[in-house]
Amino acid sequence: MAKVGGLADVVGALPKYQNNAGHLARVVIPCYDTKFKKDNDFECVHWGTVKLGRFNFSFSVLKETTDKLGFELYLIEIPELFDRKNVYGYEDDIERFLSFQIATLDWIIGRDEMPDVINCHDHHTGLIPFMMLYSNKYQKLQNIPSIITIHNGLYQGQFGFDKLHYLPEFDLSHVNILEWDNCINSLAVGIKCAWSVTTVSPNYLNEINFSANGLETLFNLVRYKSRGILNGIDTEVWDPEKDKMLEKNYSVTNFEVGKQQNKEILCTLFNLDPSKPLFSFIGRLLEEKGGDLLPHAAALAMSENYKEINILILGSGNTDIENQLNSLLIDYKGNYNTFIGYNEELAHLIYAGADYLLMPSRVEPCGLNQMYSLRYGTIPIVRRTGGLKDTVIDFGDDGNGICHDQSSVGDICYSIQRAINLYQDKEKLNKIREKGMLTDHSWERVCQEYIEVYNLIIKKV
C-alpha cells in the first residue's frame, strides 16, 4: 500500500504471519495516494469528523475488500491531509499524524468488538497509548494493553505546547507525561505510556540506552518493559528458488550456477565484467546509511584494485551524494555503474547476481537488506551496529559475512580487500554463501516472539 523503509516491511509481513498462526491481526494506516489505493477495491465501514483545535476534518475508514495482503487492511481517509504524493515530509506532518491517531481511536471505540492489544509503530502513532489511558473520550480503552515498536529512534515527532489543544480533552494533571526536553515528544510519550516497548533487534535495544537522540535516560527507565525482537523477512517474497524477478532461479544446492547466470545478466545491463567480484549497495543514500562514504570508498577501492572489481549502486537520497556517485562514471566506466532511484525488480536481481552487499551504516536498528542478501547467497559487508551485529558474523569467526567496526572509508576499503582475497578461494566463498542461505530469518519465528509479548501484557489486565 505504501512503503518508505523497513517499517512497511514489518507491518506488511508480521500481521500476515500472526494470522497464519491462528490469531486475528488487523492493520490500520493512513490512506496515502498510492497505486495500490487506485488499483484495488475498498468499502467504507465508518465515517466521522476529527476535531483538531479549531479545525474539523471529515474522515472515512476504508477496508480493502479481498484481504489480498493476508490481513484486514483499513485506511483512514482524510483527503485534506493525506491525499498527497509522499508518505511524510510535509510542514503539517504533526497535524496529519495526530488526526490519523484520533480518527483511528474514534473508530475503535465505536466498534462492538474491542481489540486485545494495540501495537503502535514509531512516533507517528506514539500518542495513542497516552490518549487510551488519559483522554476522557477514550475511557473505554483504558484497560486495553498497548505496545510501541521502535523502528528508528532518531525520529521522534516533537512539537510545541502551543498545539496541546489538538489533543482530545484530558485531565491536565497528566500533562507532564507529554513533556520531554521542553516540548511534546510523540515517541517519548509512547514509550512512557505503552504497556510494553519493543525494538527491531536486541542489539539496537542495547544501543539506545547509550545513544538515542536525547532519549537515553528514558530508555534506561523503561528497560524493565522492553524487549528487542529481531525482524524477519517474508520468505515467500524473498525466495531465490521461486522469485519471478530473477533471470535464473536457484536454491542452496545449485546456487553457484544460478548466481552466475543472474550476474551475467546484471553485468550486461550495466556494462560490467561478470568474471570479476561484484560489490553492490542497495538503499537510501543518506549519512545514517553511510551513503556519504560511498563515493570516496568506491573511488579508492577501484583505484587500489584497478580493473579488478565491479561496483554497482542502486539508491537515492541526498542529491550531493547522488551527484558524487554519478561523477565516478567518468573515470571508472566498465567497472562501475549506478541506478539513481529505486526499482524493486532490479533490487531482486542485484541480490541474486552480486557477490557482496555493502552496508556501512552509522545507524541500522535492524536492517533487512543483509537478510535478503544472505538468503540469496550474497555475502554482506557490514559495520557492526544495531541489527547488523545481530545477524552478520565475520567469516574469520566462522560466520556468514564480513564485518568492520567503524563507519569510515578506511574500514570499508579494508573489508573490500578482504572480500577480493576471499573471492579467489571459491571453496571457502561457497561455504560462506551456503551458511548464509541456510540461516533462518523467517517471520514464523519472529511472530511467536511478538505473541509472547502480547500474552504477557494481556495477563496484566
Side-chain angles (χ1 to χ4, degrees):
M1 166 59 194
K3 179 177 177 178
V4 175
L7 189 154
D9 288 306
V10 175
V11 177
L14 177 59
K16 178 170 72 173
Y17 286 89
Q18 289 172 334
N19 286 336
N20 290 344
H23 306 277
L24 177 54
R26 299 180 171 101
V27 173
V28 189
I29 66 170
C31 183
Y32 301 109
D33 183 19
T34 65
K35 185 175 185 297
F36 185 95
K37 170 62 172 59
K38 294 169 184 172
D39 291 350
N40 291 278
D41 294 326
F42 295 83
E43 60 176 333
C44 181
V45 297
H46 182 83
W47 58 88
T49 301
V50 172
K51 181 173 171 42
L52 211 62
R54 61 185 177 84
F55 302 106
N56 290 290
F57 297 101
S58 297
F59 75 91
S60 303
V61 181
L62 308 180
K63 181 184 183 300
E64 194 271 312
T65 56
T66 64
D67 299 344
K68 68 185 298 180
L69 298 180
F71 49 80
E72 294 181 18
L73 173 67
Y74 295 89
L75 308 181
I76 305 295
E77 183 179 48
I78 310 176
E80 297 95 328
L81 297 178
F82 287 103
D83 190 14
R84 304 177 187 179
K85 179 182 177 182
N86 297 320
V87 169
Y88 34 69
Y90 297 99
E91 291 184 358
D92 61 348
D93 272 358
I94 294 300
E95 287 77 8
R96 296 171 75 227
F97 289 103
L98 186 49
S99 67
F100 162 70
Q101 293 172 83
I102 293 170
T104 298
L105 292 181
D106 283 356
W107 167 54
I108 289 174
I109 61 170
R111 289 171 54 88
D112 294 330
E113 182 187 13
M114 288 293 105
D116 295 309
V117 177
I118 293 180
N119 196 156
C120 305
H121 293 264
D122 274 354
H123 75 81
H124 314 89
T125 52
L127 293 169
I128 283 179
F130 174 85
M131 291 190 286
M132 289 171 65
L133 287 174
Y134 301 114
S135 291
N136 300 336
K137 190 177 184 181
Y138 306 125
Q139 288 184 354
K140 188 177 179 180
L141 305 177
Q142 278 183 342
N143 292 320
I144 293 177
S146 61
I147 172 176
I148 187 161
T149 298
I150 300 166
H151 299 262
N152 194 333
L154 284 176
Y155 306 103
Q156 299 174 6
Q158 299 101 325
F159 59 99
F161 275 92
D162 58 312
K163 295 181 179 179
L164 178 64
H165 63 292
Y166 285 171
L167 291 171
E169 184 180 337
F170 66 95
D171 184 342
L172 288 175
S173 66
H174 300 299
V175 72
N176 63 306
I177 296 172
L178 296 169
E179 191 272 335
W180 191 269
D181 198 20
N182 300 314
C183 68
I184 297 174
N185 183 308
S186 300
L187 184 62
V189 174
I191 293 165
K192 291 177 185 179
C193 296
W195 295 34
S196 183
V197 176
T198 64
T199 63
V200 290
S201 72
N203 191 57
Y204 186 57
L205 178 60
N206 293 329
E207 289 180 354
I208 56 179
N209 282 269
F210 305 98
S211 178
N213 210 25
L215 295 183
E216 297 85 0
T217 304
L218 179 57
F219 278 116
N220 277 280
L221 288 172
V222 301
R223 187 63 187 254
Y224 71 94
K225 65 174 183 179
S226 304
R227 181 167 171 176
I229 302 176
L230 187 67
N231 281 344
I233 61 173
D234 192 332
T235 52
E236 294 175 14
V237 174
W238 298 94
D239 182 358
E241 199 167 2
K242 300 175 183 175
D243 192 336
K244 294 180 181 178
M245 299 185 192
L246 304 188
E247 180 67 22
K248 172 70 175 177
N249 292 110
Y250 59 92
S251 69
V252 72
T253 60
N254 64 348
F255 63 83
E256 193 170 2
V257 173
K259 283 188 67 65
Q260 184 61 29
Q261 287 183 292
N262 285 290
K263 183 178 181 180
E264 288 171 0
I265 294 296
L266 196 57
C267 289
T268 299
L269 286 173
F270 289 96
N271 189 32
L272 302 171
D273 184 347
S275 68
K276 299 170 184 174
L278 174 57
F279 295 82
S280 60
F281 174 90
I282 301 172
R284 287 173 288 170
L285 297 171
L286 304 172
E287 285 190 14
E288 68 181 83
K289 300 292 185 183
D292 58 313
L293 303 171
L294 287 174
H296 188 186
L300 187 59
M302 287 185 290
S303 62
E304 289 179 343
N305 302 278
Y306 186 61
K307 293 189 176 181
E308 293 301 317
I309 63 172
N310 295 316
I311 297 178
L312 177 60
I313 307 290
L314 167 62
S316 63
N318 183 291
T319 304
D320 288 340
I321 297 173
E322 292 175 359
N323 292 337
Q324 290 176 52
L325 288 168
N326 279 334
S327 69
L328 298 180
L329 292 165
I330 299 170
D331 294 325
Y332 298 103
K333 188 176 181 181
N335 292 88
Y336 171 85
N337 217 326
T338 65
F339 184 103
I340 302 301
Y342 186 72
N343 182 302
E344 186 79 10
E345 187 170 341
L346 177 57
H348 281 244
L349 185 59
I350 292 174
Y351 285 121
D355 297 297
Y356 300 101
L357 179 79
L358 297 167
M359 292 187 73
S361 304
R362 291 185 174 87
V363 179
E364 198 66 71
C366 176
L368 296 174
N369 288 10
Q370 80 278 14
M371 298 187 204
Y372 300 146
S373 71
L374 288 168
R375 181 138 170 89
Y376 282 65
T378 294
I379 297 173
I381 300 176
V382 308
R383 178 183 169 238
R384 291 185 180 98
T385 186
L388 299 178
K389 188 175 180 180
D390 286 316
T391 52
V392 182
I393 299 169
D394 192 88
F395 76 90
D397 298 318
D398 197 29
N400 53 11
I402 298 175
C403 305
H404 53 87
D405 291 318
Q406 305 299 323
S407 279
S408 69
V409 170
D411 271 32
I412 295 169
C413 289
Y414 179 71
S415 291
I416 288 176
Q417 188 59 58
R418 290 182 69 206
I420 294 170
N421 296 339
L422 175 62
Y423 190 77
Q424 308 308 316
D425 187 342
K426 285 296 190 287
E427 184 178 352
K428 189 172 185 179
L429 179 77
N430 287 333
K431 281 183 179 178
I432 297 168
R433 285 172 165 170
E434 181 179 353
K435 183 173 292 187
M437 293 183 75
L438 291 173
T439 306
D440 178 16
H441 287 301
S442 66
W443 271 109
E444 284 90 352
R445 173 190 56 80
V446 182
C447 168
Q448 291 306 316
E449 292 196 55
Y450 275 91
I451 297 303
E452 285 177 20
V453 174
Y454 297 161
N455 285 332
L456 283 172
I457 55 178
I458 287 171
K459 288 177 182 177
K460 297 177 183 179
V461 177

